[in-house]
Amino acid sequence: MTSPTQAATVGADNPGPDAESLSKEPAASDGQLAGRSPGQLMWLRFKRDRVGVISAFVVIFFFLIAALAPVISWLYGKDPYTLYGQERFELLDEFGFPAGPNGGMSSEFWFGIEPELGRDVFMQLLYGMRTSLYTALPVTILMVATGVLIGLVGGYFGGKVDYWIGRVTDFMMALPSQLTLIATMPVVVAVFVSPTEETPVYIRACAIIIVLWLLGWMGMARLVRSQVLTLREREFVEAAKVSGASPWRIIRKELLPNLVTPILVQATYMLPSTILSVAFLSYVGVGYTEPTPDWGRMFKTAATIYENDPTYMFFPGIAMVIFVVAFNLLGDSVRDAFDPKSGR
């Protein structure tokens, strides 16, 4: 039998195939990885989740093609504004619908052309995706920031501060969101532009961002407040108070780092919901209007022609379903990756 000393000598002379890999990996004990930060553990769990990884690639793909829409337009040779059907009469029939099969799909117009006006559907879709994402992203950031701030203040300070913040939150949540959006949008636009003048696109974008922001921060505030109410009684917060730390330092250094997980997960659910809200505003006619490409405006057009040209609704519908489902699955995967008790 080989003694421990001899085994150590043999192991030193012949490290074996696994010695190098073991030197690069942290030591393991009882099946738990040692020497890794919570962020590294989260990343390892996320990489093992195939659904989450695929969803992340789909989301990144959507953002990339939205950002590169002008480049794709240049390579494709078309834009979302040119009325190709008005310039070339053979593209549309006598009723204004695409003359070719499947909505006019061809090697020249990959997704077909729009009825009546003859705009390229592929370019309408890419730029509509760009409009929706670029509008929903700042709205989501504002809603998350506002909700986190209000939830932190109300949950930590409590008392009258929490009471009045809670009443304001309850009032905002009691408003019927869709009806309030429809009623508020024209008022906000009228503040910046006279009703007799045409509203610029950037004014409409600012109005949509403001309205959705003011009506969308409450869920995040409630979530953060409930988490803070639990954390403020923990030992590390009490220790910070005893050491003389100011309330804002405790909020920044003790509470906020422990809220990253629920905030990030909730934000991944808020972005696709905001995209649907932007599309809804355009669909009912108070969001983006002609000729601005937008997902909701494409659905509005498709709703009037789906019997004669169902292909026009197919591509924006499929694109929105894929994006929303992928983002929701990504949110689930991020939540499971942050949860150390998850088996995924």
Side-chain angles (χ1 to χ4, degrees):
M1 178 178 296
T2 304
S3 66
T5 305
Q6 292 173 328
T9 304
V10 172
D13 295 335
N14 301 292
D18 295 332
E20 183 178 356
S21 60
L22 289 174
S23 64
K24 294 181 180 179
E25 294 292 333
S29 176
D30 298 331
Q32 299 293 327
L33 290 174
R36 295 188 185 273
S37 67
Q40 291 174 325
L41 295 175
M42 174 266 177
W43 177 242
L44 288 175
R45 283 193 292 267
F46 180 79
K47 288 193 299 183
R48 288 196 296 265
D49 189 350
R50 293 183 179 180
V51 174
V53 172
I54 294 174
S55 300
F57 276 112
V58 171
V59 170
I60 293 173
F61 172 76
F62 271 82
F63 275 99
L64 281 178
I65 62 175
L68 297 175
V71 178
I72 298 174
S73 175
W74 175 73
L75 295 174
Y76 183 53
K78 295 178 178 60
D79 62 74
Y81 304 104
T82 302
L83 309 180
Y84 298 101
Q86 303 297 323
E87 297 177 353
R88 298 164 53 185
F89 298 107
E90 72 275 7
L91 295 176
L92 300 175
D93 60 19
E94 61 271 20
F95 302 104
F97 292 100
N102 299 320
M105 294 174 58
S106 64
S107 59
E108 184 179 6
F109 300 97
W110 294 351
F111 289 180
I113 58 176
E114 183 182 23
E116 300 293 340
L117 301 176
R119 290 178 292 200
D120 185 83
V121 176
F122 180 61
M123 284 291 97
Q124 286 272 306
L125 178 61
L126 289 192
Y127 276 84
M129 189 186 307
R130 179 186 178 93
T131 301
S132 298
L133 291 178
Y134 280 17
T135 306
L137 192 59
V139 173
T140 303
I141 293 174
L142 288 172
M143 289 192 301
V144 169
T146 305
V148 169
L149 178 61
I150 292 177
L152 281 170
V153 172
Y156 179 77
F157 290 101
K160 292 185 177 180
V161 175
D162 186 33
Y163 175 82
W164 287 110
I165 288 179
R167 300 296 75 76
V168 172
T169 304
D170 291 338
F171 172 77
M172 296 296 293
M173 295 185 71
L175 296 175
S177 58
Q178 294 185 347
L179 293 178
T180 305
L181 286 172
I182 297 173
T184 307
M185 270 298 301
V187 177
V188 176
V189 171
V191 171
F192 298 99
V193 181
S194 172
T196 59
E197 299 178 1
E198 184 177 355
T199 305
V201 177
Y202 75 92
I203 293 294
R204 285 194 174 274
C206 291
I208 292 172
I209 291 173
I210 292 172
V211 171
L212 292 179
W213 167 40
L214 293 177
L215 295 175
W217 55 267
M218 295 81 69
M220 178 64 76
R222 280 291 183 88
L223 173 66
V224 173
R225 175 185 175 273
S226 65
Q227 296 291 322
V228 172
L229 289 176
T230 303
L231 291 174
R232 71 178 185 179
E233 306 297 333
R234 300 285 292 274
E235 293 80 0
F236 63 90
V237 176
E238 295 295 335
K241 291 179 181 179
V242 172
S243 66
S246 64
W248 291 113
R249 178 176 177 81
I250 294 175
I251 289 175
R252 293 195 323 270
K253 300 295 185 179
E254 306 295 339
L255 296 179
L256 196 55
N258 289 281
L259 296 172
V260 171
T261 299
I263 291 173
L264 181 59
V265 172
Q266 183 68 12
T268 60
Y269 293 128
M270 292 172 68
L271 181 59
S273 177
T274 305
I275 290 177
L276 294 176
S277 297
V278 173
F280 169 76
L281 290 177
S282 300
Y283 182 83
V284 298
V286 295
Y288 292 106
T289 57
E290 290 281 3
T292 305
D294 180 70
W295 256 337
R297 195 180 57 72
M298 293 186 72
F299 288 129
K300 181 179 180 181
T301 302
T304 62
I305 62 171
Y306 72 93
E307 292 183 348
N308 298 302
D309 188 9
T311 308
Y312 183 80
M313 181 182 286
F314 177 78
F315 292 108
I318 290 296
M320 178 168 284
V321 169
I322 291 175
F323 180 80
V324 173
V325 171
F327 224 111
N328 287 335
L329 291 176
L330 177 62
D332 291 338
S333 298
V334 171
R335 179 196 60 203
D336 294 336
F338 271 112
D339 184 7
K341 298 179 181 179
S342 174
R344 296 177 63 182

